[in-house]
Amino acid sequence: MDESALERYFDESIIHDSDFVLEEELELQGPRRVLSSTPSAQRPSQLAPKSGATGKSGDDLDLSFLPDELSGQNEPGFSSTETKVPNDGAAGGGSDPVEERPEAPDTAASPFCVMTPMTPMTPMTPVTEGSGIVPQLQNIVSTVTLGCPLDLKFIARQARNAEYNPKRFAAVIMRIREPRTTALIFSSGKMVCTGAKSEEESRLAARKYARVVQKLGFSARFLEFKIQNMVASCDVCFPIRLEGLVLTHQQFSSYEPELFPGLIYRMVKPRIVLLIFVSGKVVLTGAKERAEIYEAFENIYPILKGFRKQ
Amino acid sequence: MSRASMRCPGCGSSNIVDDDLYCQAQLVCADCGSVVSEGSLAEESFNGPDISYSRTTAVTRKPCVNLIQGLERVKEISRILRVRREIEELALTYYKQAYEHETFLHVTLQRKEILGGCCVLASCRQQRWPITVGTISCLLNGDPAAVGEVYQEMIKVLNIQAPTFSVTDVMEAHCQEYKVSPGHVPEELAEDSKGLTKRAIALVELAADSWIVTGRQPLPIMMAAVYLAWQSLKPNAQRLKMSLEKFCKLAKVQKSKTAGTRITEMKGMLYKLGKEIPWYKEVLTPDNVVSLVGDVLQHRFSLLRRALKSHELSLLEKCPAGQVNPSSAETSSSSDVSEDAGQTPVKSSVNAEKEKQGRDGDESLKSPSEESNPQTQELTQNWGKRVLFAPPCVVNAKRKRAERPPLHVTGDEEISDSEIESYIRTPQEARDFAMMQEKLFTSNNESS
């Protein structure tokens, strides 16, 4: 922890020594914040007069995570280290992101880490680093245990929105209008809910199905709700040479134009399957959490962009 | 077991020896002769692995009949395809390996046969002997989707990598099928196989640059390329009038339906390039472009550059100078096309370099503004319309289904009773429904 803070300190001094500002590089190294050179006893108010900092105000500042002894140490050490820090204007000084702060405080030797109260709590979103494209969730599949055996024939008779064809499939297919979803309800009391566009929608829909089953007279409960799969899609808006991609990323990709027009990319970390099409549209599936989808897309976007120039 | 530690209970001596009685192990005191301990045949515990009956009683393991048959089938397929010795042997090795694996051990015989075909496919791919999945599925008389499925599983099981072929690789073998050499058809319609192949490959490469090939089935593209090549090698009235269907009958190949669409797309691409030919003074339409194919192919790189340039100019004319976004998007997507253009003709290579640098410089300056411009929202909806060459699925974008507005829910809201009630039948309704079901059921029984 100390090393990274020191590294950043050195990076800063290099920036000022060589008088050389590479905007892209700075942004690539992560969010940079300007350290104000006016120390004052009250931390929250320091955020407001920050020069060149982010737009976030210090109103939502929560310092409760800082250990108690630190708050005592901070004040005297604060002003002394402030003078050490170079006063940079536009180039942007470095400081720790919010997350690293709790680990920092034990040594007074690197008070630089402790200087973070000056900085906004939420990291600045880098402008050119990210792709700027957000994959939209298209489908969420979740499962729920209702906890009691069900009489499917009875449910199919009593419920308006249910269909049951035991010869074709051994479950009742029930649909509700809001959120527009479909559920498969099995006689064991297990249920699969599909078609929702967000995790909360899926949960609400599953609860509604459970309520319908309850109203029909069964002692249904809402246990073990779990999201099993999330599907998202997005468009990078440029054509992609799938033949080239399969050559360079052979271990992960499978492209068989005779079988399927898209390239199937199996990303290892996070474990997501991406379907990449020549039109630039990308479908991501296999995620259990939204963050996995975003991470996977941010991983693939530079690869695809690399292909665009070739 | 140390005999020294034991003492005879009878006389107390430690002189105890192994004195087995036939199969029964016995420890006997040498001095007084009393039996100290005896092992019992039944009590002996065997701590090794369980050995099955078939393993203990089998003298030699006979190889599985289906495995032998499968190997024969693999040999058959290899011989029909006339592949090299190494490919056949590799395929046999793969088959043996895959067959023993649990994924393929207890499957239907049909699937095992498909597995054989897939082994041949994988070994051909590794040894760079071009065939398509379509050929294999024809030989196996199976569905290409099933072949694909088994192939993917097999690749995973064997943990091998078999690089796919591009259309140009398979082109030569495909061209051999067309019986239009001088021996088969009348002189005016005949074409030398080598020349035909060469031109068809050039057309396919050009099509690949124009995004016609990626993601599509290779066969219709190859057929379209051969047809256009054949027409353009001697663009007389007779050839130009002959439709694809007649050509396929002539060449004795089976026509593929989508080849017609590919022909239209290729003609469109040739038209865009043919427009730039400076010495063609007549009006050019996608229909009469076939006669110019030779010239287009010969000068394709310079024509490509000219076409890109004129496209850029036309876009700048359409939109006022303030909107730099279309051209930047176009240059970025066309820079990959011009990449190949920059390669060959030496005299124009310097030119290409300069243009490329100019474009890249342009693009890097424009990209931040591109993303921040709110107008790009509408423009990016169909970026395909703005560039010279784009994949046809982008240019002819299907209408998007009306998207549902996203619900902002927390998942833990109150669920109103009335909403739930609306999903449940009233008692009267339920009775009616039950009656109707019964009636339907009985009438079905009577009619059947």
Side-chain angles (χ1 to χ4, degrees):
Chain A
M1 183 51 229
D2 300 335
E3 291 157 300
S4 51
L6 285 174
E7 267 175 63
R8 248 170 275 126
Y9 179 73
F10 285 125
D11 282 348
E12 256 201 309
S13 40
I14 290 169
I15 288 169
H16 297 299
D17 285 352
S18 52
D19 214 23
F20 138 87
V21 180
L22 248 190
E23 281 182 11
E24 296 160 324
E25 223 180 78
L26 280 179
E27 274 154 352
L28 278 173
Q29 283 164 17
R32 292 291 189 205
R33 289 171 211 93
V34 178
L35 273 180
S36 161
S37 57
T38 56
S40 83
Q42 289 157 358
R43 281 182 224 114
S45 57
Q46 283 159 7
L47 286 176
K50 270 293 257 308
S51 52
T54 66
K56 292 264 180 197
S57 68
D59 295 338
D60 43 358
L61 190 58
D62 177 27
L63 293 173
S64 52
F65 60 83
L66 289 175
D68 290 343
E69 60 272 16
L70 180 61
S71 24
Q73 258 178 29
N74 232 6
E75 308 306 313
F78 197 74
S79 38
S80 56
T81 47
E82 270 296 81
T83 52
K84 281 191 215 158
V85 175
N87 198 358
D88 23 313
S95 59
D96 297 12
V98 181
E99 298 77 43
E100 294 170 24
R101 244 172 286 171
E103 302 167 40
D106 28 359
T107 50
S110 59
F112 187 73
C113 316
V114 175
M115 288 308 102
T116 45
M118 300 290 283
T119 62
M121 288 304 186
T122 47
M124 202 159 58
T125 43
V127 176
T128 52
E129 188 188 319
S131 60
I133 306 172
V134 182
Q136 295 301 313
L137 286 174
Q138 302 293 344
N139 183 27
I140 312 259
V141 177
S142 56
T143 53
V144 156
T145 309
L146 299 175
C148 67
L150 304 172
D151 181 355
L152 298 184
K153 270 215 168 63
F154 178 77
I155 293 176
R157 265 206 317 269
Q158 300 292 114
R160 283 190 183 138
N161 52 341
E163 60 182 80
Y164 180 47
N165 196 344
K167 286 185 215 145
R168 204 164 50 147
F169 191 56
V172 162
I173 302 168
M174 197 182 281
R175 298 186 164 86
I176 57 172
R177 289 178 289 269
E178 182 85 18
R180 203 158 71 89
T181 49
T182 307
L184 302 173
I185 305 176
F186 294 85
S187 52
S188 59
K190 298 242 165 95
M191 181 172 81
V192 179
C193 172
T194 61
K197 298 273 193 205
S198 77
E199 304 91 318
E200 300 84 20
E201 267 187 47
S202 193
R203 189 186 163 81
L204 180 62
R207 281 176 58 223
K208 288 192 182 177
Y209 287 113
R211 191 69 89 73
V212 171
V213 172
Q214 249 178 13
K215 273 248 157 48
L216 290 171
F218 298 95
S219 58
R221 282 152 44 229
F222 192 73
L223 309 165
E224 296 164 19
F225 172 78
K226 181 171 182 227
I227 302 232
Q228 300 290 354
N229 186 26
M230 299 172 74
V231 182
S233 71
C234 56
D235 189 357
V236 300
C237 295
F238 53 81
I240 300 169
R241 291 241 171 258
L242 302 177
E243 309 94 340
L245 182 57
V246 78
L247 279 178
T248 50
H249 290 77
Q250 220 179 41
Q251 332 77 297
F252 308 114
S253 351
S254 151
Y255 171 55
E256 298 276 350
E258 297 182 71
L259 301 174
F260 188 64
L263 186 148
I264 303 169
Y265 192 100
R266 291 178 195 274
M267 196 176 279
V268 172
K269 181 166 179 354
R271 230 177 69 119
I272 301 280
V273 174
L274 298 95
L275 304 176
I276 304 170
F277 296 90
V278 67
S279 56
K281 297 208 164 62
V282 181
V283 174
L284 306 96
T285 180
K288 292 262 194 304
E289 283 176 25
R290 200 185 271 249
E292 289 176 11
I293 298 235
Y294 294 154
E295 190 187 336
F297 183 69
E298 293 303 319
N299 285 350
I300 200 84
Y301 189 68
I303 297 172
L304 297 179
K305 246 196 345 180
F307 261 89
R308 174 191 199 181
K309 301 275 191 186
Q310 293 165 19
Chain B
M1 202 152 85
S2 57
R3 311 286 180 268
S5 58
M6 286 209 213
R7 287 197 162 273
C8 167
C11 63
S13 96
S14 53
N15 192 4
I16 299 180
V17 295
D18 274 318
D19 187 15
D20 297 341
L21 175 67
Y22 305 110
C23 307
Q24 196 172 36
Q26 280 185 342
L27 289 171
V28 180
C29 169
D31 297 335
C32 68
S34 57
V35 175
V36 175
S37 72
E38 58 187 5
S40 151
L41 290 172
E43 273 167 14
E44 241 180 62
S45 61
F46 175 62
N47 294 324
D50 292 325
I51 301 177
S52 64
Y53 171 77
S54 56
R55 271 174 62 191
T56 53
T57 53
V59 178
T60 49
R61 186 99 194 278
K62 273 198 288 202
C64 170
V65 180
N66 289 327
L67 175 61
I68 300 177
Q69 273 181 352
L71 290 169
E72 286 302 318
R73 186 86 180 99
V74 170
K75 269 192 221 153
E76 234 178 73
I77 297 174
S78 322
R79 302 269 162 85
I80 294 175
L81 291 172
R82 304 232 199 111
V83 295
R84 297 198 300 268
R85 210 58 231 272
E86 304 92 61
I87 298 177
E88 187 179 318
E89 280 162 22
L90 187 60
L92 290 170
T93 337
Y94 282 155
Y95 188 77
K96 244 182 269 174
Q97 258 184 300
Y99 189 92
E100 303 285 312
H101 195 271
E102 55 176 8
T103 356
F104 292 111
L105 197 52
H106 304 293
V107 296
T108 58
L109 286 176
Q110 190 194 27
R111 211 166 158 87
K112 287 185 179 163
E113 191 184 332
I114 296 179
L115 175 66
C118 292
C119 290
V120 177
L121 177 63
S123 46
C124 281
R125 281 184 171 180
Q126 287 191 330
Q127 300 280 336
R128 306 313 291 164
W129 203 95
I131 51 163
T132 59
V133 177
T135 317
I136 294 285
S137 47
C138 266
L139 280 174
L140 295 172
N141 240 349
D143 167 33
V147 174
E149 196 197 317
V150 175
Y151 179 75
Q152 301 289 1
E153 270 190 50
M154 184 197 81
I155 293 280
K156 229 189 327 184
V157 161
L158 293 175
N159 207 8
I160 55 178
Q161 277 183 4
T164 46
F165 289 117
S166 64
V167 184
T168 40
D169 294 329
V170 198
M171 202 65 213
E172 197 179 325
H174 181 79
C175 288
Q176 305 289 347
E177 287 181 40
Y178 289 79
K179 308 270 181 284
V180 285
S181 43
H184 293 110
V185 290
E187 191 58 46
E188 317 85 62
L189 301 173
E191 207 50 67
D192 168 45
S193 151
K194 267 211 175 67
L196 187 67
T197 314
K198 194 157 160 256
R199 179 154 285 199
I201 290 181
L203 273 171
V204 166
E205 278 171 1
L206 198 54
D209 284 341
S210 327
W211 301 103
I212 297 178
V213 173
T214 312
R216 262 93 175 273
Q217 294 266 359
L219 185 69
I221 298 168
M222 296 196 288
M223 187 172 287
V226 172
Y227 173 67
L228 286 175
W230 176 82
Q231 274 193 327
S232 66
L233 278 170
K234 230 182 256 172
N236 49 31
Q238 191 188 21
R239 285 201 190 187
L240 290 177
K241 263 210 319 202
M242 190 171 276
S243 69
L244 177 66
E245 191 155 346
K246 290 222 180 76
F247 173 70
C248 290
K249 273 214 197 99
L250 179 74
K252 299 195 187 55
V253 293
Q254 199 178 24
K255 173 189 150 178
S256 112
K257 267 193 264 184
T258 41
T261 346
R262 300 292 168 264
I263 291 174
T264 326
E265 285 169 5
M266 281 195 191
K267 279 189 176 165
M269 156 197 84
L270 290 166
Y271 164 69
K272 281 183 189 161
L273 293 178
K275 264 200 307 188
E276 304 299 322
I277 293 182
W279 59 82
Y280 191 74
K281 297 301 174 197
E282 293 155 35
V283 177
L284 188 68
T285 68
D287 295 314
N288 59 11
V289 77
V290 181
S291 46
L292 286 179
V293 169
D295 290 333
V296 170
L297 288 175
Q298 192 180 4
H299 306 281
R300 59 184 187 267
F301 301 114
S302 37
L303 285 175
L304 203 51
R305 272 200 309 283
R306 291 172 68 124
L308 289 168
K309 239 196 182 153
S310 51
H311 184 75
E312 239 182 85
L313 288 169
S314 67
L315 278 176
L316 285 174
E317 280 166 26
K318 266 193 241 164
C319 338
Q323 273 200 29
V324 291
N325 305 310
S327 57
S328 68
E330 192 250 294
T331 49
S332 48
S333 59
S334 58
S335 55
D336 58 347
V337 182
S338 60
E339 276 297 330
D340 326 303
Q343 300 301 335
T344 32
V346 181
K347 54 178 157 74
S348 39
S349 61
V350 178
N351 229 1
E353 277 290 284
K354 282 201 210 135
E355 285 186 28
K356 198 167 66 134
Q357 279 174 9
R359 280 196 192 128
D360 284 350
D362 260 1
E363 211 216 314
S364 57
L365 286 173
K366 287 168 188 170
S367 47
S369 62
E370 189 180 351
E371 287 175 29
S372 52
N373 191 333
Q375 278 179 317
T376 46
Q377 281 288 331
E378 299 141 18
L379 293 175
T380 48
Q381 294 259 337
N382 201 345
W383 54 270
K385 295 224 157 80
R386 287 182 285 122
V387 300
L388 184 60
F389 288 124
C393 58
V394 177
V395 178
N396 312 325
K398 291 188 207 153
R399 276 250 207 113
K400 262 190 171 168
R401 256 183 279 167
E403 278 190 35
R404 299 206 307 257
L407 284 178
H408 295 290
V409 292
T410 61
D412 291 313
E413 282 110 337
E414 281 298 310
I415 302 173
S416 67
D417 270 350
S418 54
E419 186 187 345
I420 303 296
E421 302 270 305
S422 71
Y423 290 123
I424 300 180
R425 291 200 167 108
T426 60
Q428 177 63 34
E429 222 182 293
R431 278 198 294 273
D432 291 341
F433 183 71
M435 243 184 347
M436 185 199 65
Q437 285 259 294
E438 257 184 60
K439 281 199 190 139
L440 268 175
F441 184 65
T442 48
S443 71
N444 271 349
N445 276 355
E446 278 163 28
S447 57
S448 57

